[in-house]
Amino acid sequence: MSTFRALVVTKPDTGYSCNFADFDERDLMDGDVTVRITHSTVNYKDGLAITGKSPVVRRFPMIPGVDFAGEVIASSHKDWNPGDHVLLNGWGVGETHLGGYAERARVKGDWLVQVPFGMTHAQVMAIGTAGYTAMLCLMALEAHAITPERGPVLVTGAAGGVGSVAVALLARAGHHVVASTGRPEEGDYLRGLGAAEVIDRAEFTGPVKPLGKERFAGAVDTVGSTTLANVLSQTKYGGAVAACGLAGGMDLPATVAPFILRGVSLLGVDSVQCPAVVRREAWRRLSGELDRDKLDAMTQSIPFDEVKDIATKILDGQVRGRVVVEIG
Ligand code: NDP
């Protein structure tokens, strides 16, 4: 195949545009492994890249898509051979390196993770960067000794991708999970994933007190801004908040009071440059600890053609859970 189908972002003088195109295989970037992509997914960041709403894409032309799963078709990397089943999350793919919304990718073998035994390409993309980030948040809270006995844990943006997986993982780990959402109609969905309580996200959008009532031993925050500031002020003495998102904004209008008067910790979580050894551990745990029925319940599949529509919806907070993109 000398050309393959891809979604391509360009930025001519007339502005930002994103369209399907036949991409020449010779224009793939450097890498020691070539993959036939079968599935990708849509994360919030992919929505930003496709629409151009934030400057996520830093090279043009770009194939967006920060995740993919597929089969190795050529490799000069010591760890990979043709026929291997691999997945990729982050590393700048879909931002600075040609990404996952394509039938082919050429990447560094060091960026790839083996698809866990017993999982399909569709299942690992149902997890995707969002689900793998949720596991990184769980691991960060565990490293801070946030055990179920210490009290409830909060998940903000709970009906979204990171939020849905975080609810399921934390509930399975035995936590009393409080799911915060702006979509009360998703209450049954969130309880089905394991939430013990579903609350209105408006509880975290009001004025920020330096110290609020101590409610949560820990939290996974996907929203940022005023929400994160309020969550910090309502975290119990010695608790911790794993912050991974900015769906509500990038600012943080907080005070230092929770840190210096309650010993609260703010744990930053990044999936993109996360070291390979930590990724492999996250994926090993995801394959064993994420209930497959719950994963199915939070996932919809779409044909490649519909990826642009979903990109707009995810930025509007209209996508529930996770989306798998069927590439080929
Ligand atoms: P989703 O859009 O699937 O989920 C975000 C959720 O946040 C929405 O479903 C909604 O949940 C809530 N939300 C949306 N807008 C607002 C708002 N204005 N105020 C308050 N809540 C809002 O996105 P993802 O799950 O893919 O990503 C979530 C966040 O995490 C994004 O900011 C993303 O960039 C970030 N992220 C960061 C990573 C990292 O490496 N640090 C990796 C992956 C994601 P509800 O309707 O339930 O309120």
Side-chain angles (χ1 to χ4, degrees):
M1 176 196 277
S2 57
T3 65
F4 57 87
R5 189 158 186 252
L7 191 62
V8 182
V9 171
T10 53
K11 199 177 176 188
D13 293 342
T14 45
Y16 197 93
S17 72
C18 182
N19 294 297
F20 285 99
D22 288 327
F23 202 89
D24 196 317
E25 206 158 334
R26 289 169 300 189
D27 293 331
L28 282 171
M29 295 166 73
D30 287 348
D32 45 14
V33 180
T34 306
V35 178
R36 179 179 70 80
I37 296 175
T38 62
H39 296 81
S40 185
T41 178
V42 184
N43 302 281
Y44 189 88
K45 189 188 268 180
D46 298 313
L48 295 174
I50 289 172
T51 60
K53 205 169 163 191
S54 277
V56 167
V57 174
R58 277 163 285 139
R59 178 236 193 232
F60 298 93
M62 174 52 63
I63 298 173
V66 305
D67 292 307
F68 64 74
E71 184 181 346
V72 172
I73 52 173
S75 171
S76 57
H77 188 281
K78 63 180 175 36
D79 292 344
W80 305 113
N81 294 302
D84 287 345
H85 297 279
V86 293
L87 66 94
L88 184 144
N89 313 113
W91 293 120
V93 167
E95 301 179 62
T96 54
H97 191 100
L98 296 174
Y101 295 143
E103 292 168 338
R104 292 284 182 277
R106 188 178 302 129
V107 295
K108 288 187 183 172
D110 291 349
W111 294 345
L112 295 167
V113 172
Q114 190 164 22
V115 172
F117 181 75
M119 295 192 80
T120 64
H121 295 181
Q123 283 170 330
V124 295
M125 285 299 99
I127 295 172
T129 282
Y132 141 68
T133 302
M135 176 54 86
L136 294 180
C137 290
L138 171 66
M139 289 162 65
L141 293 176
E142 286 173 349
H144 204 79
I146 304 300
T147 52
E149 304 73 51
R150 293 182 62 180
V153 291
L154 175 72
V155 176
T156 63
V162 177
S164 293
V165 180
V167 168
L169 289 173
L170 287 161
R172 181 184 182 284
H175 291 278
H176 179 101
V177 180
V178 181
S180 164
T181 183
R183 291 180 271 179
E185 67 277 15
E186 300 298 356
D188 287 345
Y189 162 75
L190 289 165
R191 278 183 283 272
L193 296 181
E197 295 175 56
V198 178
I199 62 174
D200 190 334
R201 75 183 187 199
E203 290 192 28
F204 305 103
T205 52
V208 182
K209 288 187 193 156
L211 292 176
K213 183 167 181 270
E214 293 182 66
R215 299 172 70 188
F216 310 109
V220 171
D221 178 61
T222 71
V223 175
S225 191
T226 307
T227 297
L228 176 55
N230 271 307
V231 171
L232 286 166
S233 84
Q234 295 176 34
T235 300
K236 291 183 180 209
Y237 192 93
V241 179
C244 69
L246 45 56
M250 208 186 219
D251 60 329
L252 181 55
T255 75
V256 296
F259 309 124
I260 64 173
L261 297 176
R262 287 190 181 153
V264 168
S265 295
L266 180 54
L267 313 173
V269 172
D270 167 60
S271 65
V272 179
Q273 298 297 332
C274 175
V277 63
V278 181
R279 291 169 185 258
R280 284 196 291 270
E281 173 62 5
W283 276 101
R284 186 192 66 72
R285 290 190 54 178
L286 283 161
S287 71
E289 295 175 31
L290 183 57
D291 185 301
R292 303 285 164 84
D293 290 336
K294 287 184 179 170
L295 183 61
D296 287 348
M298 68 177 84
T299 305
Q300 59 173 305
S301 283
I302 59 162
F304 196 6
D305 288 341
E306 290 175 20
V307 71
K308 284 173 69 177
D309 300 337
I310 291 284
T312 311
K313 286 188 182 144
I314 201 166
L315 297 185
D316 292 339
Q318 287 174 20
V319 173
R320 180 176 93 174
R322 302 281 302 127
V323 180
V324 171
V325 182
E326 290 163 6
I327 305 274

